[in-house]
Amino acid sequence: MTSTLMDTAGAAARGRRVLFDVDGTLIDAVDNQRRVWRTWAERHGLDPDEVYRVALRTRPLETFASVAPDRDPQECLAALHELEDEDVRSGVYTAFAGAAELLSALPPGSWGLVTSNYEHRVRGRFARTGLPVPEVLVDAAAVPEGKPSPVPYLLAAERFGALPQDCLVIEDAPSGVLSGRRAGMTVWGVNAPAPVDGVHRHFASLKEAGTEILAFVTGAG
């Protein structure tokens, strides 16, 4: 049995899985998100900087309630979705350093994605950056509650048939960290100069965390 097959079998036997957030963790989409929200705000006659400041810490419907309480939230959401879909088609995306190498090195079936975005956008961004798409992908449409609820990460574990305590969450944002912690999982933070409150371990970059993520999944660490 080759080393790769041994690693894969070992990971499957132990049931260890790694669950990645997408935006800010694997894909650098900050400029894209800022541009989308700026366009949305300008179309609604709002201050783009203020709208983006609110959007960073709330979900879209909560953002609309705060910055545009007199507008139809569903119309606001439809307009935002249109802009986001257009950005997937025409925007420039970059995978964080080390992302492609790490995902390719992980044993097949040992990792998945848990995102507050929608699957078709994730697939579009991954196609643009050359990242592989795993079998398990939990998106906003798959759950009744998004992050910081534990529901998205618990659903991912259920789809794998894995126990929460055997799952490692890789996140960059406070809501995602809280979601993983509430799900009873180990949570590591990446791509931030300082640790997000609640992370079990902190890495300045995804690339820096790569070796340790591999070790967790294969049982080498």
Side-chain angles (χ1 to χ4, degrees):
M1 184 179 287
T2 66
S3 175
T4 299
L5 288 176
M6 289 174 65
D7 286 347
T8 302
R14 286 182 294 276
R16 289 187 172 184
R17 301 291 185 271
V18 56
L19 307 174
F20 293 94
D21 172 51
V22 177
D23 294 335
T25 300
L26 294 173
I27 299 285
D28 186 353
V30 171
D31 289 343
N32 304 74
Q33 292 168 342
R34 183 182 291 276
R35 183 165 51 250
V36 164
W37 277 109
R38 173 170 291 279
T39 301
W40 182 90
E42 290 173 345
R43 288 184 180 180
H44 289 79
L46 301 171
D47 180 353
D49 292 333
E50 172 62 16
V51 169
Y52 186 66
R53 183 186 67 79
V54 176
L56 278 176
R57 55 183 173 80
T58 61
R59 286 171 286 188
L61 289 177
E62 295 166 343
T63 299
F64 305 143
S66 175
V67 303
D70 58 332
R71 312 289 174 86
D72 183 330
Q74 292 305 318
E75 290 183 3
C76 290
L77 187 61
L80 181 67
H81 283 177
E82 181 180 341
L83 290 170
E84 290 180 324
D85 286 344
E86 175 56 33
D87 186 71
V88 170
R89 291 189 292 269
S90 60
V92 176
Y93 286 91
T94 303
F96 281 104
E101 295 82 359
L102 173 59
L103 299 185
S104 297
L106 286 166
S110 69
W111 64 280
L113 303 176
V114 179
T115 177
S116 298
N117 214 317
Y118 289 85
E119 181 172 350
H120 72 280
R121 292 191 197 121
V122 172
R123 289 186 177 277
R125 292 175 179 183
F126 274 42
R128 300 285 298 280
T129 54
L131 297 181
V133 178
E135 182 177 347
V136 172
L137 194 167
V138 174
D139 73 341
V143 292
E145 301 174 12
K147 303 172 188 178
S149 165
V151 170
Y153 280 111
L154 289 174
L155 177 58
E158 179 182 327
R159 289 184 176 180
F160 273 122
L163 297 173
Q165 58 264 37
D166 290 330
C167 295
L168 170 64
V169 169
I170 307 299
E171 273 280 359
D172 74 299
S175 63
V177 170
L178 186 55
S179 177
R181 288 292 302 260
R182 286 175 171 174
M185 299 177 180
T186 299
V187 182
W188 292 354
V190 298
N191 299 334
V196 174
D197 287 345
V199 296
H200 294 100
R201 292 187 68 179
H202 167 71
F203 299 87
S205 68
L206 178 69
K207 187 173 184 178
E208 180 183 316
T211 301
E212 297 298 319
I213 293 170
L214 280 169
F216 175 91
V217 173
T218 61

